[in-house]
Amino acid sequence: LSAQGGAFWRSYGGSLPAGEAMAPLVAFREAEAGALGCAALMVDWETQRSRVPLARRDWQDQAGVPCGSDEEATWALASVASRCVGSAGLLGWPDLKLMLPALDMVNCDVHPNASFHLDRANGTASVKPLPGEWGPGVVAEDGEVLISYGKGKTNEEMVSSYGFALPGNPNDRVADLPADVLAPLFAPLLLRAAEVEPSALSRFVGAAHA
């Protein structure tokens, strides 16, 4: 996304969100990262922010284009984190980070109906439907094309790279905690949280005793 990249890439770079609108963790302010209330994400934020000066240096050395500020380098890192597609494992490609304009607008879901395909022979990329409830290689009419942003990614990883979490993410796990740090679980409190009246269970309890 340098000035040497041609009119197309300059236009594409101009279409991306500005720095303050970037969602990945690296674009968070310190107070915003702390407000997440997750120690692991705070450490991740500090690690990512420490790479900003290195990104500025690499930008200058490899692209030959001066990087004017930490804000610009942060924007570049956030763009890579949220927009690039990893090629590892796809048709024998090496592990590259690819920017694919237009295709990078496809949304993510825990139950994707499509996936990226890279054709090494002609150097093209596409999004193709996955076999599913609508039949082999078919997306429902008027349905949204949805891909996975990374198999096995937890919501912590989703927030780190993309700035959002997926409701019902099957990759999330509750950490094993010692019994002495867990609050006791009382049946009345559980029923109240579930908005279930104890009397509604009497017929099941009675049937069990019978």
Side-chain angles (χ1 to χ4, degrees), residues 107-159:
N107 285 325
C108 175
D109 194 80
V110 294
H111 302 295
N113 56 20
S115 65
F116 279 113
H117 287 262
L118 303 177
D119 189 331
R120 191 172 188 177
N122 58 28
T124 61
S126 60
V127 173
K128 295 184 178 181
L130 292 171
E133 61 179 308
W134 302 104
V138 177
V139 175
E141 184 177 355
D142 297 327
E144 182 179 6
V145 175
L146 299 165
I147 62 172
S148 169
Y149 282 6
K151 185 177 181 181
K153 278 194 174 183
T154 65
N155 273 337
E156 186 177 301
E157 293 172 304
M158 295 297 293
V159 170

Side-chain angles (χ1 to χ4, degrees), residues 7 13 22 34 62 70 79 83 89-90 93 98 101 120 125 132 136 150 154 170-171 175 182 189 194 199 206:
M22 276 290 185
Q62 298 180 25
D70 282 352
S79 297
R83 298 282 169 171
L90 294 176
W93 281 58
L98 308 174
R120 191 172 188 177
T154 65
N171 301 310
L182 295 174
L189 295 179
S199 59

